Amino acid sequence: MKKFADIFLRALLTGFAIGIGGIVYLSCDNRYIGSFLFGTGLFVILSFGFNLFTGKVGYAVENKPSYIIDLLVIWLGNLAGTAATGGLILLTRAAPSISEKAAGLCDTKLSDGLLSILVLSFFCGILMFIAADGFKKIENPVGKMLVIFLPVMVFILSGFEHCVANMFYFTAGMSWSLKAFGYLLLMSLGNAIGGMFIPFVRKWFVN
């Protein structure tokens, strides 16, 4: 139980970090600056060893089946953290602006087709694995920073779907519904497939 408590708490803190990234993104009129500052959340997560679902799911390829339980706990912790952050920001003077912008994003996502959501989530999953794995393997400090912030900027500016970020947007935009939860599960699936894509292909490398 101590193991799962640790996993959950690290995932909970991840939810707060992503939520703060979402807040600053929605607070910026310039989406390029906002997408860059959103990367602060991932910087905190990777630097402090927190648990982000989209950063961990790719390693399911090289772990035992029991790792799926870890991923489920991480997903729930991310949900709890983002929901708490979204709920708290709604209690502040920033609520009207943040909520309106988040609701607009959610409307766009929930009016999209299922296949579109899956594909957009797939590409986001690839980028998040690149960021997480790159941070672990790149030794150059400049490279470490680039591999955090560039994938985040690319997925946001491209309109790719990140399930944990959307947990925050659904809360801040007060857009939760049965449909939203279903879309979130589909986004999580797409992120998982994308996250495992490179590790799966990498297993077949000749060298």
Side-chain angles (χ1 to χ4, degrees):
M1 290 303 295
K2 287 184 178 180
K3 170 192 172 184
F4 292 120
D6 180 78
I7 291 173
F8 182 84
L9 288 174
R10 290 174 185 269
L12 180 74
L13 292 172
T14 289
F16 276 93
I18 292 294
I20 291 172
I23 292 169
V24 71
Y25 172 69
L26 295 175
S27 300
C28 289
D29 293 327
N30 187 305
R31 61 196 301 260
Y32 296 97
I33 295 175
S35 63
F36 174 79
L37 293 176
F38 189 104
T40 303
L42 186 60
F43 172 78
V44 171
I45 291 161
L46 295 178
S47 298
F48 286 84
F50 296 161
N51 289 333
L52 175 66
F53 175 79
T54 53
K56 297 290 187 181
V57 69
Y59 298 107
V61 172
E62 56 194 49
N63 274 281
K64 298 178 180 179
S66 59
Y67 184 68
I68 295 174
I69 300 175
D70 294 1
L71 290 174
L72 177 60
V73 175
I74 290 171
W75 192 91
L76 292 172
N78 290 169
L79 176 61
T82 50
T85 308
L88 287 171
I89 200 64
L90 290 177
L91 301 176
T92 72
R93 65 175 182 271
S97 175
I98 295 292
S99 184
E100 181 181 357
K101 291 181 180 179
L105 283 177
C106 294
D107 287 343
T108 299
K109 298 172 190 297
L110 295 176
S111 62
D112 199 5
L114 297 181
L115 181 58
S116 174
I117 290 292
L118 185 64
V119 172
L120 293 173
S121 302
F122 168 77
F123 285 124
C124 183
I126 292 176
L127 288 169
M128 289 301 96
F129 177 79
I130 290 172
D133 203 52
F135 184 81
K136 288 172 59 177
K137 295 183 177 179
I138 296 173
E139 297 182 0
N140 183 283
V142 175
K144 277 185 178 292
M145 294 301 100
L146 289 176
V147 84
I148 290 175
F149 287 92
L150 288 183
V152 171
M153 291 187 71
V154 170
F155 98 69
I156 291 177
L157 295 175
S158 300
F160 297 157
E161 298 293 352
H162 188 280
C163 65
V164 182
N166 287 334
M167 292 172 183
F168 167 76
Y169 294 136
F170 285 143
T171 304
M174 295 182 285
S175 300
W176 279 111
S177 64
L178 187 59
K179 180 179 180 180
F181 188 75
Y183 268 55
L184 182 64
L185 293 179
L186 182 62
M187 293 164 184
S188 302
L189 175 62
N191 288 163
I193 297 172
M196 290 186 281
F197 179 71
I198 290 178
F200 180 78
V201 174
R202 195 162 60 184
K203 293 181 69 174
W204 296 92
F205 286 178
V206 176
N207 295 305

